[in-house]
Amino acid sequence: MNFLSNKINEFGEIKVGIVGSGLMGTSLFSQLLSLENFRPTVISSRRKESILELFKACKVDEKDYVITDNFETALKAFKENKYIGTTDNTLATKSELVDAVTDCTGNINAGIDISLEAFKNKVHVVSLNVEMDSTVGPYLNHLAKNSNIVYTGSYGDEPGAIVELFEFANLMGFEILHLGKGKNNELNYYVTEDDVKEDAKKRRISPRMLTSFVDGTNTMIELNAVCNATGFMPDIRGCHMIYSEPKELADKFKLIEDGGIFKNRYTVDFVKGIAPGVYAIVKAKNEIIDYEMQYLSMGKGPNYAIYRPYHLTSLETPISIAKAVVLHESSITPKNLKPSAETVAIAKRDILAGELIEGIGGKSVFGSLEKYSIAKENDLLPIGLINENTKAKINIKKDTPITYNMVCLDCNSSAVIIRNRMNSLIDSNPDLL
């Protein structure tokens, strides 16, 4: 970390654009105000009122910011050392104003448009938009590499925290057997926004977001990002969901032949009882290291849990921003163009032909993690491709895995367009990983 700090000092001021003025965007903007060598130059949101609320919450004086969608006005404000608020996301991707843009939207189509604009402008992308990453992240990373810039997820987000443990354990020479995260909500595949409305209000998040947490979609999407970054896969569709306290973690991850429930090693899963923590289940590669792990009170072996009891979401994002801008390194990014896993759509209820289907966090579908090879073989539809214009072609029974031919997708959506390009590139280059 001293190396990174020294490099930041050598680089000088890191200019950051932030898209999204919700909890993550507001928190990040506030944090960057207090950090040396960081300057949050642009904050973008759909509503001007949200930007004004953010500036007020962060105690930014009116004389110190400008609200504009005009580039020349924004550039003048930037040179006057003022903060720029805008409803035009493209301003947060202009290289004259920012070194990196942070996507805090959680909106797949908006995230894709932000990323593509940033690539064009040679601006690094640090994404907290794991919904986008699990859907088209491999292709976006492919484009970023071709543009010699960084596309990355963020430390602090659970996928980033898991991959940080993965790299930590890998560099120590352990065999890494399983990876995963805690879940602090109940799991109810069929929950709707109406069911969580009051709870969402108390937590100050949208009912749709809370629905995606409770129905498991968010967990599946986050683990999907981990799979694509590491090559690990779900053991079964939807994962097992383990119940465990931190001290029992290592004993819960056994193969069937050893008295456990897992068919395979190198899997991802989620655990009730350890939230907000993340974990890696590892094994020593020789007897000396195994003995030392026991000596260090890490358990009786042969499996050991390396457990981190927290993840600090956007509070850790400045580290990822600095790595991207100063070191040209990612914190978490898809390993290959070809994904390892897919978050496929499962019907929450009976859906009638001609009905519009709600996507993530809605009343129509929930997401379930599946191996990419199985999803492709069975033509299963990634949940991230469903938006408010997606229509059912046929009657779909509750609990049915939805396939491409069951629905009419919104072919004008950025997600569908980019995913089609990604699929075509994979299909035309079977050896291109």
Side-chain angles (χ1 to χ4, degrees):
M1 196 60 75
N2 284 338
F3 174 77
L4 179 57
S5 296
N6 291 335
K7 286 295 183 181
I8 292 171
N9 288 331
E10 289 176 17
F11 181 88
E13 186 178 71
I14 299 173
K15 304 181 296 295
V16 183
I18 300 170
V19 184
S21 60
L23 176 59
M24 296 299 103
T26 300
S27 174
L28 180 60
F29 185 90
S30 174
Q31 184 186 20
L32 293 179
L33 289 176
S34 65
L35 293 178
E36 291 185 13
N37 293 317
F38 285 89
R39 180 182 169 193
T41 52
V42 183
I43 176 71
S44 178
S45 186
R46 287 177 296 178
R47 295 170 54 249
K48 178 182 174 181
E49 293 77 12
S50 298
I51 301 167
L52 293 172
E53 288 170 10
L54 179 147
F55 283 142
K56 184 178 180 181
C58 296
K59 297 182 171 53
V60 178
D61 194 280
E62 288 185 19
K63 71 178 186 322
D64 293 327
Y65 67 78
V66 168
I67 306 289
T68 184
D69 289 346
N70 179 270
F71 174 69
E72 295 302 328
T73 304
L75 187 59
K76 181 175 181 293
F78 169 79
K79 291 176 180 177
E80 294 171 353
N81 212 32
K82 293 183 179 182
Y83 304 108
I84 301 153
T86 183
T87 59
D88 180 359
N89 290 344
T90 65
L91 286 188
T93 70
K94 297 294 186 183
S95 60
E96 296 89 343
L97 304 175
V98 305
D99 298 304
V101 59
T102 305
D103 173 10
C104 301
T105 65
N107 181 296
I108 295 172
N109 289 313
I112 291 170
D113 294 341
I114 292 161
S115 298
L116 294 178
E117 191 69 19
F119 297 164
K120 186 172 72 176
N121 297 331
K122 303 297 184 182
V123 165
H124 304 295
V125 175
V126 179
S127 176
L128 278 79
N129 191 342
V130 71
E131 296 86 354
M132 174 190 73
D133 187 69
S134 69
T135 307
V136 295
Y139 186 73
L140 293 178
N141 187 48
H142 170 76
L143 294 179
K145 284 181 177 178
N146 287 344
S147 296
N148 196 32
I149 56 174
V150 175
Y151 165 81
T152 179
S154 173
Y155 283 146
D157 227 359
E158 282 164 294
I162 293 168
V163 168
E164 195 173 6
L165 280 187
F166 173 82
E167 292 176 342
F168 173 72
N170 190 53
L171 283 170
M172 286 192 291
F174 288 106
E175 181 183 8
I176 304 164
L177 305 175
H178 308 278
L179 297 166
K181 52 163 280 185
K183 188 179 191 324
N184 57 4
N185 312 97
E186 64 170 317
L187 180 62
N188 177 359
Y189 296 127
Y190 313 110
V191 70
T192 68
E193 296 164 84
D194 295 336
D195 298 328
V196 302
K197 190 178 297 182
E198 291 305 313
D199 194 15
K201 189 175 181 181
K202 291 176 187 174
R203 298 185 188 207
R204 298 182 182 181
I205 61 175
S206 73
R208 189 142 188 168
M209 179 180 289
L210 184 53
T211 299
S212 74
F213 292 164
V214 175
D215 72 12
T217 302
N218 179 262
T219 294
M220 298 291 99
I221 285 171
E222 290 184 324
L223 292 176
N224 196 156
V226 175
C227 289
N228 290 346
T230 63
F232 280 42
M233 299 181 189
D235 192 47
I236 60 171
R237 181 179 296 171
C239 302
H240 290 283
M241 190 173 77
I242 309 298
Y243 291 85
S244 179
E245 296 296 321
K247 289 185 177 180
E248 303 167 346
L249 261 177
D251 291 331
K252 298 288 183 175
F253 288 84
K254 293 179 180 176
L255 296 177
I256 291 171
E257 57 260 37
D258 297 323
I261 61 173
F262 282 82
K263 301 175 184 176
N264 303 290
R265 295 183 178 89
Y266 318 124
T267 68
V268 297
D269 223 292
F270 61 105
V271 179
K272 290 280 287 181
I274 68 163
V278 296
Y279 64 86
I281 307 299
V282 306
K283 185 177 182 179
K285 293 182 179 178
N286 64 57
E287 293 178 0
I288 295 173
I289 304 304
D290 188 57
Y291 172 78
E292 185 171 1
M293 288 293 280
Q294 294 176 45
Y295 173 79
L296 294 170
S297 302
M298 290 298 292
K300 61 183 184 299
N303 293 353
Y304 301 94
I306 298 178
Y307 169 63
R308 177 181 172 181
Y310 64 89
H311 67 283
L312 300 181
T313 57
S314 63
L315 299 182
E316 298 182 53
T317 300
I319 302 171
S320 293
I321 294 170
K323 282 186 64 178
V325 173
V326 177
L327 303 181
H328 281 237
E329 291 181 4
S330 65
S331 301
I332 168 175
T333 197
K335 186 178 180 181
N336 302 313
L337 176 62
K338 187 176 179 181
S340 294
E342 199 83 87
T343 304
V344 299
I346 311 291
K348 275 189 179 181
R349 57 176 176 83
D350 290 345
I351 300 170
L352 299 177
E355 265 194 270
L356 291 174
I357 303 175
E358 296 176 331
I360 296 169
K363 298 177 181 178
S364 306
V365 294
F366 64 89
S368 192
L369 191 64
E370 181 57 274
K371 297 179 182 70
Y372 172 78
S373 58
I374 293 176
K376 184 171 178 59
E377 182 182 348
N378 292 279
D379 208 30
L380 300 179
L381 179 68
I383 193 170
L385 298 185
I386 298 174
N387 68 12
E388 65 277 2
N389 297 317
T390 304
K391 188 178 291 187
K393 289 182 181 178
I394 61 172
N395 293 338
I396 304 171
K397 286 289 186 184
K398 181 179 178 180
D399 291 324
T400 299
I402 296 176
T403 60
Y404 277 90
N405 61 8
M406 292 180 180
V407 301
C408 181
L409 293 173
D410 178 5
C411 293
N412 294 317
S413 79
S414 297
V416 172
I417 291 169
I418 295 301
R419 184 59 195 238
N420 284 341
R421 291 178 189 172
M422 173 176 152
N423 291 342
S424 295
L425 187 56
I426 292 170
D427 291 343
S428 61
N429 298 273
D431 296 326
L432 182 60
L433 298 179

